[in-house]
Amino acid sequence: MNENLPPCPECSGAYTYEMGALFVCPECGHEWSLSAGAADGAGAGGEKVIKDAVGNVLADGDTVTVVKTLKVKGSPTGIKAGTKVRNIRLVDGVDGHDIDCKVDGFGPMQLKSSVVKKA
């Protein structure tokens, strides 16, 4: 039954299933359509699209807002929700930290795109 279904493009899981016009991966929860999956893999020159917590596409130089309070090692307060971070740079970071930026009061650091919202 799973012989004809493509593996998950996010985690390469083999247990995908169809739900209407979408394919769903039960391992990571990723949903995609077959036509969009083919376009993402072959087109766009291999560029990875990075989206924020609400689905907006991010680009170098954007200003983002932190959506939840983040703990920072060595700091008693951390980064509070609502903190604006200007002039971000998108990188291929470690453990999903795909934004390189400078946070006022903390200095340079890397953030995950899942904890920011485009301002």
Side-chain angles (χ1 to χ4, degrees):
M1 184 165 105
N2 261 355
E3 297 172 30
N4 301 332
L5 297 177
C8 176
E10 291 290 314
C11 70
S12 301
Y15 301 108
T16 59
Y17 61 92
E18 287 184 87
M19 185 169 29
L22 295 176
F23 291 103
V24 180
C25 176
E27 295 175 17
C28 70
H30 181 65
E31 299 178 350
W32 74 99
S33 66
L34 187 57
S35 60
D40 288 346
E47 256 184 64
K48 185 177 177 186
V49 176
I50 298 176
K51 296 183 178 182
D52 66 1
V54 293
N56 298 324
V57 177
L58 296 173
D60 286 345
D62 282 345
T63 298
V64 294
T65 305
V66 178
V67 294
K68 68 180 206 175
T69 302
L70 304 172
K71 293 181 181 177
V72 177
K73 245 185 199 181
S75 171
T77 58
I79 300 173
K80 297 191 186 224
T83 302
K84 282 197 174 191
V85 180
R86 292 176 177 79
N87 199 18
I88 66 169
R89 198 172 44 137
L90 302 177
V91 295
D92 199 19
V94 180
D95 289 335
H97 293 83
D98 45 13
I99 297 175
D100 199 15
C101 61
K102 188 172 171 183
V103 180
D104 291 339
F106 292 96
M109 63 176 45
Q110 290 187 337
L111 298 173
K112 292 184 177 182
S113 59
S114 61
V115 297
V116 298
K117 179 176 75 170
K118 193 170 183 176

